[in-house]
Amino acid sequence: MADIESLLKEKRSFKPSAEFVKNANWNKRTVDEYRKLGAKNPERFWAKMAKENVSWFTPWKKVLQWKPPAAKWFVGGKLNVSYNCLDRHLVGENAWRRNKAAIIWEGEPGDTRVLTFGELHREVCKFANVLKGLGVKKGNRIALYMPMIPELAIATLACTRIGAIHSVVFGGFSAEALRDRIEDAGAHVVVTADGGYRKGVPHALKPAVDEAVAGLDVVEHVVVVKRTGEEVAWESARDHWWHDLMQEASAKCAPAKLDSEHPLFILYTSGTTGKPKGILHTTGGYLTHVTTTAKALFDLNETDTYWCTADIGWITGHSYVIYGILANGVTSLMYEGVPTHPAPDRFWDIIERHRVSIFYTAPTAIRTFVRLGDEHPQKHDLSSLRLLGSVGEPINPEAWMWYHRIIGGRRCPIVDTWWQTETGGIMITPLPAATETKPGSATLPFPGIDADVYTEEGVPANPPDGGFLVIKKPWPGMLRGIWGDPERFKETYWSKYENTYFAGDGAHRDSKGYFWIMGRIDDVMNISGHRIGTMEVESALVSNVKVAESAVVGRPDEITGTAIVAFVTPKGGVTSNDDLARELREHVAKHIGAIARPADIRFTDALPKTRSGKIMRRLLRDIASGKETVGDTSTLEDYSVIARLREADEG
Ligand code: PRX
């Protein structure tokens, strides 16, 4: 029997449009050639990419040194990330980009700022000097706990300029979570703001920093950006206003010539259990990976206005708001607030006003918009869009179709990109001029990436059987370790199969070799001996016109071992009652089979999610089986959702 059974049959497919085939950075012929080279000799492929897409001060001596699980890429090469994102756009044939917008920023209250590549370079050099003035040296760790404001991008780039290692801690995390991360990384300096705007009100940050660093000797300096103007407590020996320090800083700062394997950043990712892991990324391989993928799969052009809605507190924000985009000399839009403030059409309004051409967001946002109704996007002129992307969770085929029709006007290719904090850059994705897309599938590995689906025994699963997603060869953007915990690094990613990266996701491949991600392995449900992933049952529910979003989990059952419980958010205006529950149970049985028919349907107006939009099925499992909520809930977006679900349960 398959390790995970695949039930979903998706028949629709979409060929690349003539528009893309004509003008793309990577046309079909290029993609075929790179796929061949990447399969035969991945090192040669990545070396070619490193040469074409990244500027080096000193060339490397060896492309890859691989002593599993330790990889070194472009050994002996020297470079600087901020040089690649900024300086190289100010010289030679690209010198005209000095006055091109690097960052178009919009605050939630509607204030805007545009930083050209020239201005951003100046600000980055100044802040790099500020850091030096505070005693920061190459290899020191800097914690950034900030709202989505330009200063966050400036601070990350300034760290890379001098070889300091940034650790961005998402502004929605608590003081306690911040403290753990500062302590684990041993950060001497914390950069923050008085606060930022969220849902129309100031959301304070400085008090959380004060609480987090109280009694932590390691923190010597706290730099504070004035954003909201709200009053803050002040520790004069430790705290500095950003604007005061910047006023005195010189705008001249030569980029440090850093080793290709010099640590670039740490980013903490919380597993479902245990303490967060500090994922470590380094310089040359990471930059090659994100710059190449961004150019190829977003088809970045000189005239694009690119918008990725992710917060810089997540890997998507690191790789595809800042580094991969700016390194290509492309304008990156940054937005501070929530998608629905002051009205449910905020995103579409931003796209129309700034003439955004490439839009990259998460399925959770897409499903929210489905629920809010089509009238909001339809009020706006979205004709500037030419490509759409999705990341973070499996996108259900019906949500994909909505995105395609309502946002993409049936003309924009959709790139459903699979990757992880650990992978650094995108791994499995369509290439817009070459790949026929199928709703719900991330399609094929990027050239040079060797992905597969393994059985428990470590052999490739027979399509369409599901199994465990693995990466069989090292890739340039791969994590280099878990900060301070080499054992956990080996144990988590490299112990299930020999010399093979274990991603922790379930997946299956179809007859064309396309990958379909089925959800996290931890969420797989065992129903009468059939192992079923969450994505397919949820997709079946969402394919009913009355459903906007759903999450399914297993609860213990005397007869079947596990029974499926489906939490369902209906679309606006739909009445949820027993008839609808019955209809949905039958709908699932009809679409993917009686084995997946949910035992219970529970209606809810919201699902518990992390701030990055992932459904926390672990918490739903506790509710479904009537258990107390245990484990870490610090990443939960809105705790009241859990309380409401529990009340509904008791009522
Ligand atoms: O389960 C997969 C899901 O998100 C996980 C990685 O989460 P994180 O490290 O927070 O990074 C998110 C942004 C890259 C994966 O293990 N995931 C991410 N993208 C997709 C996805 N699942 C299905 N399809 C995707 N496109």
Side-chain angles (χ1 to χ4, degrees), residues 555-619:
R555 69 153 162 73
D557 183 272
E558 276 174 22
I559 300 160
T560 54
T562 304
I564 296 180
V565 180
F567 293 84
V568 171
T569 306
K571 280 188 192 159
V574 172
T575 324
S576 42
N577 53 24
D578 289 350
D579 286 345
L580 180 59
R582 215 168 301 123
E583 178 186 334
L584 294 178
R585 295 176 68 237
E586 288 324 305
H587 181 87
V588 173
K590 183 161 155 258
H591 275 75
I592 58 174
I595 187 76
R597 182 193 279 121
D600 308 335
I601 301 268
R602 301 199 188 172
F603 295 106
T604 172
D605 62 345
L607 295 165
K609 290 179 187 172
T610 64
R611 274 282 186 88
S612 64
K614 286 192 210 304
I615 296 169
M616 295 178 83
R617 292 185 188 75
R618 174 172 57 90
L619 302 184

Side-chain angles (χ1 to χ4, degrees), residues 306-611:
Y306 163 97
W307 182 22
C308 166
T309 64
D311 193 286
I312 291 172
W314 315 118
I315 189 70
T316 309
H318 285 56
S319 301
Y320 301 107
V321 174
I322 308 178
Y323 297 124
I325 309 307
L326 297 180
N328 277 294
V330 166
T331 304
S332 185
L333 191 140
M334 249 176 102
Y335 168 61
E336 179 187 33
V338 299
T340 47
H341 185 84
D345 66 339
R346 181 62 183 266
F347 270 18
W348 323 122
D349 180 51
I350 291 177
I351 291 175
E352 178 173 5
R353 272 186 294 107
H354 296 284
R355 307 299 294 156
V356 170
S357 56
I358 301 171
F359 180 63
Y360 190 33
T361 196
T364 181
I366 297 168
R367 291 186 302 250
T368 303
F369 295 128
V370 170
R371 181 165 56 85
L372 293 171
D374 299 356
E375 63 273 24
H376 305 294
Q378 281 169 345
K379 271 206 303 249
H380 292 277
D381 174 9
L382 304 179
S383 63
S384 57
L385 290 171
R386 65 184 195 91
L387 184 142
L388 303 174
S390 168
V391 60
E393 278 192 305
I395 177 164
N396 316 115
E398 282 322 310
W400 194 104
M401 288 304 300
W402 183 89
Y403 201 28
H404 168 73
R405 279 187 287 112
I406 307 295
I407 307 306
R410 297 179 198 271
R411 84 189 164 273
C412 302
I414 296 180
V415 291
D416 172 6
T417 61
W418 178 86
W419 59 298
Q420 305 176 300
T421 305
E422 292 87 341
T423 68
I426 291 166
M427 303 290 278
I428 303 180
T429 176
L431 287 158
T435 315
E436 188 170 334
T437 51
K438 297 185 186 184
S441 171
T443 76
L444 296 168
F446 195 78
I449 301 294
D450 191 1
D452 209 335
V453 175
Y454 271 6
T455 65
E456 187 67 44
E457 289 71 40
V459 294
N462 282 327
D465 287 356
F468 306 94
L469 183 60
V470 295
I471 314 292
K472 299 195 282 190
K473 291 204 186 80
W475 66 98
M478 67 193 271
L479 77 165
R480 300 301 198 263
I482 295 177
W483 186 259
D485 202 344
E487 277 315 307
R488 194 169 176 204
F489 171 59
K490 272 191 217 150
E491 170 62 32
T492 312
Y493 307 108
W494 305 96
S495 63
K496 189 164 175 80
Y497 305 114
E498 204 181 340
N499 300 344
T500 297
Y501 175 81
F502 173 69
D505 281 349
H508 74 94
R509 300 181 76 170
D510 64 18
S511 55
K512 272 185 113 175
Y514 278 27
F515 285 73
W516 300 75
I517 311 297
M518 301 165 83
R520 296 294 295 169
I521 297 290
D522 300 343
D523 294 333
V524 166
M525 304 166 292
N526 190 333
I527 317 293
S528 308
H530 299 266
R531 290 167 53 81
I532 297 172
T534 49
M535 188 270 191
E536 299 194 328
V537 185
E538 288 162 6
S539 292
L541 285 160
V542 174
S543 75
N544 183 291
V545 289
K546 294 175 188 156
V547 175
E549 184 160 37
S550 94
V552 302
V553 296
R555 69 153 162 73
D557 183 272
E558 276 174 22
I559 300 160
T560 54
T562 304
I564 296 180
V565 180
F567 293 84
V568 171
T569 306
K571 280 188 192 159
V574 172
T575 324
S576 42
N577 53 24
D578 289 350
D579 286 345
L580 180 59
R582 215 168 301 123
E583 178 186 334
L584 294 178
R585 295 176 68 237
E586 288 324 305
H587 181 87
V588 173
K590 183 161 155 258
H591 275 75
I592 58 174
I595 187 76
R597 182 193 279 121
D600 308 335
I601 301 268
R602 301 199 188 172
F603 295 106
T604 172
D605 62 345
L607 295 165
K609 290 179 187 172
T610 64
R611 274 282 186 88

Side-chain angles (χ1 to χ4, degrees), residues 81 85 142 144 148 152-153 156-157 160 165-170 264-268 279-281 286-287 290-291 294 306 308-327 332 334 360 419-421 424-425:
V81 168
C85 291
I142 312 291
L144 309 177
M148 276 289 278
L152 175 51
T156 57
L157 287 159
T160 73
I165 307 167
H166 62 70
S167 163
V168 182
V169 180
F170 175 61
L264 180 64
F265 63 81
I266 302 167
L267 183 58
Y268 287 86
I279 304 299
L280 176 69
H281 285 287
Y286 171 82
L287 190 65
V290 300
T291 307
Y306 163 97
C308 166
T309 64
D311 193 286
I312 291 172
W314 315 118
I315 189 70
T316 309
H318 285 56
S319 301
Y320 301 107
V321 174
I322 308 178
Y323 297 124
I325 309 307
L326 297 180
S332 185
M334 249 176 102
Y360 190 33
W419 59 298
Q420 305 176 300
T421 305

